[in-house]
Amino acid sequence: MILVTREEMQWMDKQAIQKEGIPSLALMENAGRAIADYIIRMQQAAALQISILCGPGNNGGDGLVVARILHESKISIKVFLAAPEESYRGDALINLRRLPLPFIPLHTQRLLKIYYDEIASSPFILDALFGTGLSRPLTDYFAYLVAELNAMKVPILSVDIPSGLCATSGEKMGEAIYASETLSLHRPKLGLVKGPDCFLAGHIHVFPIGIPDAYDSKIKRKEFLITPEAFRSFLKARPRQSHKYKFGQALTIAGSRNKIGAALMTARAVLRSGAGLSTLALPEEAYQKIDPKFSEIMFEPFNLSSPESLSLLQRGKFKAVAIGPGMGVSGETKNFIFSLLPQVQTPLVLDADALNLIATDLSILKKIKAPVLLTPHTGEMQRLLEGLPPPNPLLIKEREYEEVLNFAKKFQVWVLLKGYRSVLATPSGELWFNSNGNPGMATAGAGDVLTGLLGGLLAQGLSMKVAAKAGIWIHGRAGDLVAEEKGEKGILAWDIAEKIPCVLKELLTSRQFI
């Protein structure tokens, strides 16, 4: 789904109203109804009173529509106006007059102090203060209000964009709401995923409001948000008459004598992805340490110094190969991997030590014939970029996406830069940002699980373009399910892997994904 700037969204709105003849009031109604429907589906909405804070513009008008629909649906709410009643105009004023319950003025510090405890006891706050059109910093009372809302430590759901966050640059404009979720309208805004303060958006959901999709083609930037719609149709339910060979076999080449855990998690995560078989090739000295609980995996011991070991690619009908976790960076390992890579004919996922070795001689990337996905974290990406000759700069935060994209295009590889808002750079010059995940996933082995998941999806026949996007999103969603159940502290990598089948079930059975 394409990401849009403030100006692009305003242009789309204008085209829908002026060229398509869609009344602005109808767009506001559609927006409010979509968000209200989402809130109604949230289990906690029925129990406690929700606080809805509405500003004087169109964002506040969206919030007033939400309030009306929730009230009609018997959801307990209170509506607070963050500006004097006389400052509401246009569609926002129309929806204020349609409100079937009294509103509460909240446009001074004194009033906020009166209702502070009531708002702070809400299950969540709906932020409908300021939307995409905000172009200047919040000051005076609005800055104070936003700071006080953040201090309440209550989950905040923001309509379209967190109030105070620039839709284009992803920078705070003075104070800005720290949202748990952002309920973006029509198209996600670029500032929700790109910029120094994009983390304020929390989890991102996108709701259609009736603007035709055709206007997407007018935007020439190739920056997108990964949503299930990008891959969901490629995930098929298993036929009743099935066998394991029908779902592909992936080969994982990983591990060393002292680092076998990463290899085992990668190979086992292949099976959690839905692949039929998983083979782990690992050095003979590591083979002696295998725990019996990993008996679902087939093992192929090899000798790094033996040329015959390279024939392991011919020992199974592998549909994908993942290389790197826990292998180390010895000279023997480098020689083995660099001899192996040009022989691989199936899609490749390269991670961890495979990336560190490639960084010492990037020319090996030009010798690989198969589609390649690199999965570095920022440190590994730094090393890959350092391997480039001048004038290529080192990775710095302000330019990291541009540099990763240039790398992907230069070597015609796919690059998945892991981290908050993991991003996929494609050989054709696209950037795909992820929309889920949480800080609890910053744990040892989480990347190894992702590598196995990606290898397993590729083994099932998904193209690199589809598998990469699906793998990032499914991994993030699995981490979110763990966090919902256990909290973000203390998550183990295998907790994430255990939730992958649950995510696949959601994607295959839920008509509308929440």
Side-chain angles (χ1 to χ4, degrees):
M1 185 175 287
I2 197 162
L3 292 156
V4 298
T5 64
R6 177 199 298 121
E7 293 75 19
E8 288 163 349
M9 190 65 242
Q10 289 172 337
W11 176 81
M12 287 181 168
D13 275 330
K14 185 176 180 180
Q15 297 303 304
I17 295 166
Q18 295 183 358
K19 288 198 172 183
E20 306 294 334
I22 304 173
S24 59
L25 197 61
L27 294 175
M28 185 174 285
E29 184 73 17
N30 293 343
R33 188 167 295 279
I35 291 174
D37 288 346
Y38 172 75
I39 292 173
I40 290 167
R41 295 197 303 273
M42 295 172 64
Q43 293 299 313
Q44 67 265 41
L48 299 171
Q49 182 176 272
I50 301 166
S51 294
I52 301 177
L53 275 66
C54 300
N58 286 340
N59 196 254
D62 295 335
L64 290 165
V65 175
V66 175
R68 169 166 44 85
I69 295 170
L70 291 182
H71 179 74
E72 292 169 353
S73 302
K74 310 303 181 186
I75 302 293
S76 179
I77 63 168
K78 279 204 172 178
V79 181
F80 297 89
L81 296 192
E85 182 181 356
E86 59 270 19
S87 63
Y88 288 72
R89 301 280 189 274
D91 294 343
L93 178 60
I94 292 172
N95 279 297
L96 179 58
R97 289 172 174 166
R98 289 177 175 177
L99 195 65
L101 74 164
F103 61 81
I104 300 170
L106 197 75
H107 57 273
T108 66
Q109 292 188 22
R110 182 184 64 82
L111 289 168
L112 178 57
K113 288 177 181 177
I114 293 172
Y115 294 104
Y116 186 96
D117 290 341
E118 188 170 352
I119 296 170
S121 64
S122 302
F124 64 86
I125 297 165
L126 187 69
D127 158 35
L129 296 172
F130 296 97
T132 301
L134 185 68
S135 59
R136 59 182 184 272
L138 297 181
T139 58
D140 302 327
Y141 172 69
F142 288 119
Y144 173 82
L145 172 61
V146 166
E148 289 296 299
L149 293 174
N150 287 334
M152 290 179 183
K153 305 300 183 184
V154 175
I156 301 177
L157 276 61
S158 288
V159 175
D160 205 24
I161 193 164
S163 294
L165 182 67
C166 178
T168 299
S169 70
E171 295 178 280
K172 287 197 300 182
M173 295 185 287
E175 292 287 347
I177 287 290
Y178 198 129
S180 301
E181 301 178 45
T182 295
L183 314 177
S184 200
L185 303 172
H186 180 60
R187 291 292 178 263
K189 313 308 177 285
L190 186 62
L192 298 176
V193 299
K194 191 177 180 183
D197 301 310
C198 68
F199 64 89
L200 294 173
H203 293 294
I204 302 167
H205 308 269
V206 185
F207 301 96
I209 62 172
I211 297 175
D213 295 342
Y215 293 115
D216 287 5
S217 63
K218 303 296 183 182
I219 298 172
K220 302 307 178 186
R221 281 179 303 95
K222 296 181 178 180
E223 295 173 298
F224 305 89
L225 184 73
I226 299 173
T227 64
E229 286 65 36
F231 57 84
R232 192 174 188 171
S233 63
F234 296 92
L235 302 176
K236 307 296 183 183
R238 291 193 172 201
R240 291 196 177 275
Q241 290 183 313
S242 299
H243 54 81
K244 60 189 176 184
Y245 295 101
K246 187 178 182 65
F247 306 113
Q249 180 176 6
L251 171 66
T252 300
I253 303 173
S256 57
R257 185 176 66 179
N258 295 321
K259 293 182 179 179
I260 192 172
L264 291 169
M265 280 194 290
T266 302
R268 207 177 191 195
V270 167
L271 297 174
R272 283 294 183 210
S273 78
L277 299 102
S278 176
T279 296
L280 173 59
L282 73 173
E284 291 171 342
E285 61 267 27
Y287 181 72
Q288 307 304 320
K289 296 187 172 185
I290 297 170
D291 190 309
K293 73 179 181 181
F294 292 94
S295 54
E296 312 98 327
I297 302 169
M298 296 182 289
F299 293 93
E300 187 75 59
F302 66 87
N303 189 325
L304 282 170
S305 60
S306 171
E308 289 75 25
S309 291
L310 293 175
S311 65
L312 58 88
L313 286 173
Q314 280 73 51
R315 296 178 199 165
K317 296 180 180 179
F318 305 115
K319 301 297 184 183
V321 179
I323 304 177
M327 291 196 77
V329 291
S330 69
E332 265 192 334
T333 304
K334 179 177 179 179
N335 292 336
F336 178 82
I337 288 179
F338 277 41
S339 298
L340 179 69
L341 289 177
Q343 299 184 39
V344 179
Q345 303 296 318
T346 58
L348 263 170
V349 182
L350 302 179
D351 186 26
D353 288 326
L355 300 176
N356 293 328
L357 290 170
I358 286 170
T360 66
D361 184 359
L362 296 177
S363 66
I364 187 64
L365 292 173
K366 297 287 189 180
K367 299 176 184 178
I368 301 174
K369 305 176 183 68
V372 182
L373 172 62
L374 312 181
T375 62
H377 54 58
T378 302
E380 291 161 345
M381 193 70 232
Q382 177 80 58
R383 288 189 279 276
L384 288 167
L385 288 170
E386 286 174 347
L388 292 174
N392 294 282
L394 301 184
L395 184 70
I396 58 175
K397 192 67 179 174
E398 291 78 8
R399 297 199 301 266
E400 66 178 356
Y401 300 130
E402 179 183 350
E403 292 169 22
V404 172
L405 189 59
N406 288 339
F407 188 97
K409 291 191 291 185
K410 177 181 175 67
F411 292 102
Q412 286 297 288
V413 296
W414 301 72
V415 182
L416 194 176
L417 181 62
K418 297 180 290 193
Y420 183 73
R421 297 278 186 255
S422 294
V423 62
L424 175 70
T426 76
S428 63
E430 296 177 348
L431 284 174
W432 288 82
F433 293 85
N434 197 27
S435 57
N436 57 20
N438 64 81
M441 298 175 70
T443 184
D448 304 317
V449 169
L450 175 60
T451 297
L453 170 60
L454 291 163
L457 292 172
L458 289 167
Q460 293 172 71
L462 273 66
S463 69
M464 187 66 81
K465 182 176 183 179
V466 174
K469 288 182 280 189
I472 300 169
W473 194 93
I474 292 169
H475 186 254
R477 174 61 179 163
D480 287 342
L481 290 180
V482 177
E484 289 172 13
E485 181 181 314
K486 300 182 178 183
E488 293 181 354
K489 287 189 175 182
I491 290 177
L492 300 179
W494 197 247
D495 295 335
I496 300 170
E498 291 287 273
K499 290 296 184 182
I500 290 173
C502 302
V503 179
L504 295 172
K505 180 182 178 182
E506 284 182 332
L507 290 165
L508 289 169
T509 60
S510 300
R511 186 169 296 179
Q512 182 172 5
F513 193 86
I514 297 178

